[in-house]
Amino acid sequence: MTVYRDSAVVLRVTKLGEADRIVTLLTRRTGRVRAVAKGVRRTRSKFGGRLEPFSHVDLQLYEGRNLDIVTQAVALDSFGSVLAADYPRYTAATAIVEAAERMTAEEREPSLKLYLLLVGALRALSTTDREPSLVLDSFLLRAMVIAGWAPALRECARCGSPGPHAAFSIASGGLLCVACRSAGAAGATRPASSCVDLMAALAAGDWDRVDTSTGVHRREASGLIAALLQWHLERGLRSLPMVDRTAATPLGRPPAGPSDGTAAERPQPPRLDLAVPAAGPAPVDVSLPAGLFGPGTAEPLPEVAARS
């Protein structure tokens, strides 16, 4: 069997037999991969908690006929502990990993940009106080851009005439000018101009403009983004209606204590250690753009060994 090594984010896990799991991964080099982690559910498993959802890991796998087999796992980022401790962050992360899986229709089709976008989004959720719903909406917009479904937010989606335009059509893929709307664009709406500006800022990573937006425009933009994604995927994300769009607890601040007045200690975000394992090659500069999800979310990722 072919042995290969790759870095990956765990998207989903499914029970298999008494002690195994099928792990769905978005890898850096290979795209979406399903692999078996043998014995991972045993108490003394060598994998520990490194193959839980949201984990960013460096893996060694055997390429199987139907499913690959995970033989080694080294943690690169431990996002799960921070995300699981805060419900708004957790629900946003759940929608993000589901979207990443749905937007990789074919297994083993490399998607480096989506992988880097996913790592950046999870890092932003777990290491910054950025509002989780804004990180989610920004991820969905950028993922649609990567997939070739970029909405027209500055020009007419049909004729390309420059804006500003008032009408927005989900079926047409963005704004419509007066002439194109009159030509039979059914179901067009008229969102607030500030809502469209917010969507453009989320797509461009202009967080200074995003932070000045109001709750009304954020909710309107979230609805349009969800509708656009559902139109292209032909069905919505199951986890999206469950997203808690209230503000998350600031990192480093303990959440409200129980009814007896005692404060529950909140786990601190883990230190990001992206050092390459000793046996691995030297890192290369494939960092995310600096403004992707705000400062501190674009870290260089380690290169991985090619297939042997």
Side-chain angles (χ1 to χ4, degrees), residues 41-282:
R41 292 160 57 198
R42 293 195 179 100
T43 305
R44 297 185 179 181
S45 169
K46 64 180 180 180
F47 298 117
R50 291 186 289 273
L51 293 178
E52 296 296 328
F54 316 130
S55 296
H56 183 209
V57 290
D58 183 76
L59 301 174
Q60 179 174 289
L61 306 98
Y62 282 116
E63 186 173 350
R65 180 177 301 176
N66 297 316
L67 297 172
D68 294 353
I69 300 174
V70 181
T71 59
Q72 293 182 8
V74 177
L76 297 177
D77 288 301
S78 299
F79 298 132
S81 58
V82 178
L83 298 176
D86 188 272
Y87 189 67
R89 298 181 200 274
Y90 175 80
T91 54
T94 301
I96 285 173
V97 295
E98 183 186 353
E101 181 178 1
R102 291 281 305 279
M103 298 184 78
T104 50
E106 299 293 333
E107 290 190 12
R108 300 188 177 279
E109 182 177 333
S111 182
L112 176 60
K113 290 182 179 180
L114 184 60
Y115 166 79
L116 293 176
L117 185 68
L118 175 61
V119 173
L122 294 178
R123 182 174 290 121
L125 286 175
S126 59
T127 63
T128 72
D129 287 328
R130 189 76 62 197
E131 186 173 319
S133 61
L134 294 176
V135 175
L136 169 62
D137 290 338
S138 180
F139 173 85
L140 295 179
L141 276 172
R142 294 161 191 251
M144 284 191 280
V145 172
I146 292 173
W149 306 332
L153 301 175
R154 296 301 186 196
E155 68 284 336
C156 177
R158 288 190 172 183
C159 67
S161 61
H165 302 300
F168 192 99
S169 171
I170 299 298
S172 298
L175 295 174
L176 292 178
C177 64
V178 175
C180 291
R181 185 183 184 186
S182 302
T189 61
R190 296 178 65 89
S193 59
S194 297
C195 169
V196 178
D197 290 340
L198 172 59
M199 293 174 64
L202 288 169
D206 188 349
W207 291 100
D208 290 336
R209 289 172 55 199
V210 170
D211 291 339
T212 62
S213 60
T214 64
V216 173
H217 297 142
R218 292 179 183 183
R219 289 190 293 271
E220 187 177 12
S222 296
L224 291 177
I225 294 168
L228 282 168
L229 184 64
Q230 180 174 344
W231 173 266
H232 291 295
L233 293 178
E234 298 183 352
R235 61 188 178 96
L237 300 179
R238 291 182 299 175
S239 56
L240 202 55
M242 306 299 294
V243 173
D244 186 346
R245 296 189 178 272
T246 59
T249 303
L251 292 173
R253 180 184 300 177
S259 57
D260 60 1
T262 60
E265 184 178 358
R266 179 188 180 86
Q268 297 298 312
R271 183 178 65 86
L272 296 180
D273 184 8
L274 294 180
V276 181

Side-chain angles (χ1 to χ4, degrees), residues 270-292:
R271 183 178 65 86
L272 296 180
D273 184 8
L274 294 180
V276 181
V284 296
D285 184 14
V286 290
S287 58
L288 294 167
L292 195 63

